[in-house]
Amino acid sequence: MPGSLEPLDLSVQIPYHFRCPISLELMRDPVTVCTGQTYDRSSIESWVATGNTTCPVTRAPLTDFTLIPNHTLRRLIQEWCVANRSSGVERIPTPKQPAEPGLVRSLLSQASSATNLNSSRLSALRRLRGLARDSDKNRTVIASQNAREILIDLVFNNSGSSSSELNHEALGLLVMFPLTEPECVSISSELDRIDYLANLLYHSSIEVRVNSAALVEIVVAGTRSSDLRAQISGVDEIFEGVIDMLRNPISYPRALKIGIKALFALCLVKQTRHKAITAGAAGALIDRLTDFDKCDAERALATVELLCRIPAGCAAFAAHALTVPLLVKAILKISDRATEYAAGALLALCTASVESRGEAMVAGVWTQLLLLVQSDCTDRAKRKAQMLLKLLRDSWPDELVGSSNDVVCSEVVPF
């Protein structure tokens, strides 16, 4: 339902008591505060979040910040919307009620109690997961109840050979929250926990595998210690498991998204990039490059550029027949960042291989680079393009050298 009457018939007047006293718009989720006044949930929450401790209408102190849903008023508003449908008013949906802290505490207690039956603990975790999926607000409430620490213990409690559905359900819930650095360190510093995540990357359930890769990415990205990051990325099975997710048919989109996020995070660790190449990262990335959405394509191209910084990476990408054509095609097609990463990867490949220079010329790289250096792309992208133009100049047909000489010999854009 739009907040104003602009798109509606001008004869439609929203009843005064259906309007929120704060926003003066039609209430979508009316709630009553301790003073007895009713407001739209989003408006009163914003009021309180900015530091106000009084009721906006009565100015009386809000001694209790509990918001009680006004179901009767909401139904009346919905009935009014239906009655005025012909005037362009849309019925407001029944809002999902946010998680109550008391309920969240009870469910976490039920899930973490070893004296409860596994079925009861699973039921609690699944209900928490449903609440977490509903909204960011619910995830904030759940996280505020020490949920992450409880879930980490559940994920790795009795893991390994006795790994159970309870561990997997806790893992699925845990990856819905960002972890603090101490929490990431608590996982990355224990080899048994790393090995457990590596084993889960080969589980029969694709969801378990994806959730394991998601936690690997969260932990690697959230750990500042280079030694601990290297400890995780140094496990061969982790690279192999993550890359295998990228090779599978695209029947589970989340696998592709989480797989490239995890691979990129792992490849940021310089010491172990060769393991990604050994595990087949070059082929997997190039074969899937056209399947990524914009954000993931940027991440994939950034990963290609990172891996091209080592000789083994350059050799592996150069050996794939589609690498150079796809990188040339990516220039100016996806985004400024993607262009920068593609140009950087091409520069590395063409510096290392004469064959790659020839492939780039056949793919039309000179046209793309000339357009790039004259575009509004990033300075780094232009700098890489100019360096690549100079490198390729000897490979250009004679008739192109003169027309492009001014661009090639222009001042290189600094970092």
Side-chain angles (χ1 to χ4, degrees):
M1 173 65 200
S4 69
L5 294 180
E6 292 178 0
L8 307 179
D9 188 321
L10 293 178
S11 64
V12 177
Q13 295 295 324
I14 300 176
Y16 174 78
H17 55 285
F18 287 179
R19 294 178 181 267
C20 173
I22 299 175
S23 67
L24 302 181
E25 296 178 354
L26 184 69
M27 287 187 280
R28 303 178 65 88
D29 186 8
V31 293
T32 302
V33 298
C34 61
T35 61
Q37 294 294 321
T38 297
Y39 304 93
D40 200 20
R41 183 185 294 276
S42 60
S43 295
I44 190 63
E45 285 182 340
S46 296
W47 171 267
V48 172
T50 55
N52 295 293
T53 59
T54 59
C55 174
V57 171
T58 66
R59 297 300 177 182
L62 292 173
T63 56
D64 183 354
F65 291 96
T66 301
L67 304 178
I68 302 172
N70 192 328
H71 297 299
T72 300
L73 181 57
R74 176 180 50 76
R75 292 191 189 99
L76 289 172
I77 292 173
Q78 288 175 325
E79 290 172 1
W80 177 84
C81 290
V82 172
N84 289 274
R85 185 186 307 167
S86 61
S87 298
V89 179
E90 295 181 3
R91 183 181 183 276
I92 62 171
T94 301
K96 291 184 177 181
Q97 296 305 311
E100 293 292 336
L103 172 62
V104 171
R105 283 193 298 271
S106 175
L107 290 173
L108 286 171
S109 176
Q110 180 181 335
S112 60
S113 176
T115 60
N116 289 336
L117 294 174
N118 267 11
S119 58
S120 174
R121 301 173 74 184
L122 274 172
S123 176
L125 285 173
R126 286 168 180 159
R127 190 169 178 189
L128 283 166
R129 200 170 174 186
L131 290 171
R133 284 195 186 105
D134 282 345
S135 67
D136 291 338
K137 188 183 302 180
N138 283 358
R139 288 192 287 276
T140 300
V141 172
I142 295 171
S144 69
Q145 303 301 316
N146 199 35
R148 296 190 303 269
E149 182 177 339
I150 292 172
L151 292 171
I152 289 173
D153 287 340
L154 283 173
V155 168
F156 297 104
N157 182 39
N158 297 321
S159 59
S161 59
S162 60
S163 177
S164 69
E165 192 175 0
L166 188 67
N167 302 84
H168 305 158
E169 193 67 37
L171 174 62
L173 180 55
L174 178 62
V175 296
M176 299 177 75
F177 302 94
L179 301 185
T180 64
E181 185 179 7
E183 289 164 344
C184 290
V185 169
S186 74
I187 297 172
S188 60
S189 60
E190 296 191 27
L191 286 173
D192 288 346
R193 292 185 168 186
I194 298 173
D195 289 340
Y196 175 59
L197 291 177
N199 289 333
L200 288 184
L201 289 171
Y202 301 89
H203 195 273
S204 58
S205 166
I206 183 63
E207 184 179 9
V208 172
R209 293 169 61 195
V210 170
N211 287 335
S212 178
L215 187 55
V216 167
E217 187 273 331
I218 290 170
V219 171
V220 173
T223 302
R224 295 184 185 179
S225 168
S226 57
D227 290 339
L228 290 178
R229 291 169 61 152
Q231 181 167 281
I232 300 173
S233 60
V235 178
D236 293 341
E237 292 78 7
I238 285 184
F239 269 116
E240 292 168 0
V242 167
I243 291 170
D244 188 60
M245 285 172 51
L246 297 176
R247 291 198 186 100
N248 290 330
I250 311 303
S251 56
Y252 196 74
R254 185 165 169 256
L256 194 65
K257 181 173 289 292
I258 296 299
I260 191 57
K261 286 183 69 176
L263 181 58
F264 173 67
L266 290 165
C267 288
L268 287 173
V269 183
K270 296 180 182 179
Q271 307 96 301
T272 54
R273 285 176 190 162
H274 64 282
K275 290 183 177 291
I277 297 300
T278 301
L285 284 167
I286 297 304
D287 290 342
R288 282 287 175 258
L289 194 55
T290 58
D291 297 321
F292 293 112
D293 60 24
K294 176 183 174 181
C295 182
D296 293 331
E298 290 178 355
R299 194 174 282 115
L301 288 167
T303 306
V304 172
E305 185 184 17
L306 286 173
L307 292 176
C308 282
R309 294 179 183 178
I310 62 174
C314 275
F317 281 106
H320 197 299
L322 293 179
T323 297
V324 172
L326 285 176
L327 290 176
V328 171
K329 187 177 180 180
I331 294 176
L332 297 175
K333 294 295 184 182
I334 302 172
S335 68
D336 286 354
R337 285 187 177 182
T339 294
E340 179 183 326
Y341 301 141
L346 281 170
L347 178 59
L349 289 169
C350 291
T351 299
S353 166
V354 174
E355 289 77 9
S356 292
R357 297 177 207 172
E359 291 176 13
M361 292 299 298
V362 171
V365 70
W366 61 271
T367 302
Q368 295 293 82
L369 294 176
L370 290 174
L371 290 172
L372 172 54
V373 295
Q374 299 174 70
S375 72
D376 294 327
C377 204
T378 66
D379 287 348
R380 288 192 177 193
K382 290 182 180 181
R383 177 181 182 274
K384 292 173 182 178
Q386 289 171 331
M387 293 173 68
L388 186 52
L389 282 167
K390 291 180 178 180
L391 178 67
L392 294 174
R393 195 164 79 177
D394 291 341
S395 302
W396 291 2
D398 293 339
E399 64 270 19
L400 295 178
V401 174
S403 62
S404 60
N405 195 57
D406 291 341
V407 176
V408 178
C409 296
S410 62
E411 182 180 355
V412 174
V413 179
F415 275 110

